[in-house]
Amino acid sequence: MSAVPTPPEPPPPGPVPLEPAAPEPLPADLLQDAAATFGLLSATVRLHLLWLLSHGERDVGTLAEETGQTVPTASHHLGKLKLAGLVRARRDGKRQIYVLEDPHVRHIVQLAVEHQRELSDGGRSRKRA
């Protein structure tokens, strides 16, 4: 007769502590550029423009109307976003059509807005100073 193998020891109860992986070092210029992107997103008008563009292209007049801004103000902010490479523009006759250029920015904007919605829905929204 052959011996019956002994079953392995069960794992200890509870979660197994994992050591966090060491993050890769980030170059200073990469951190500066990432901070600059967040700086652009910190202006309410620009965040609103990017939110709208994350749902499809729009002309500057429509963007101005939807954000409650004048066309020159919307154009000013769109120019900054274009200079940073976050949006691009194309001509359609006399209209300037804007498109969100970077899918990463679309994701960041949508995550930020959804995050705030969840905080607000949970009754944990911060009071504005």
Side-chain angles (χ1 to χ4, degrees):
M1 290 184 93
S2 63
V4 176
T6 308
E9 291 278 327
V16 177
L18 300 175
E19 285 194 34
E24 67 178 87
L26 295 175
D29 59 336
L30 177 62
L31 286 169
Q32 183 66 38
D33 290 346
T37 298
F38 280 105
L40 281 168
L41 299 176
S42 70
T44 306
V45 174
R46 289 192 289 269
L47 184 61
H48 195 180
L49 290 167
L50 290 170
W51 170 256
L52 293 168
L53 291 173
S54 76
H55 292 86
E57 63 183 33
R58 288 169 164 75
D59 67 76
V60 68
T62 301
L63 287 165
E65 184 179 321
E66 290 180 329
T67 59
Q69 304 297 314
T70 64
V71 169
T73 299
S75 292
H76 170 77
H77 288 288
L78 288 163
K80 287 185 177 232
L81 294 170
K82 185 177 174 186
L83 189 62
L86 303 182
V87 301
R88 65 181 163 81
R90 65 176 170 78
R91 276 255 173 237
D92 182 22
K94 292 184 176 185
R95 298 181 328 147
Q96 190 82 350
I97 307 294
Y98 284 87
V99 179
L100 192 59
E101 180 72 355
D102 189 336
H104 294 102
V105 173
R106 171 181 288 115
H107 192 65
I108 290 168
V109 168
Q110 290 177 342
L111 280 174
V113 170
E114 291 306 316
H115 173 72
Q116 285 308 123
R117 279 189 177 148
E118 288 176 12
L119 289 177
S120 295
D121 291 345
R124 296 175 292 184
S125 62
R126 295 179 295 151
K127 289 187 177 181
R128 306 241 182 248

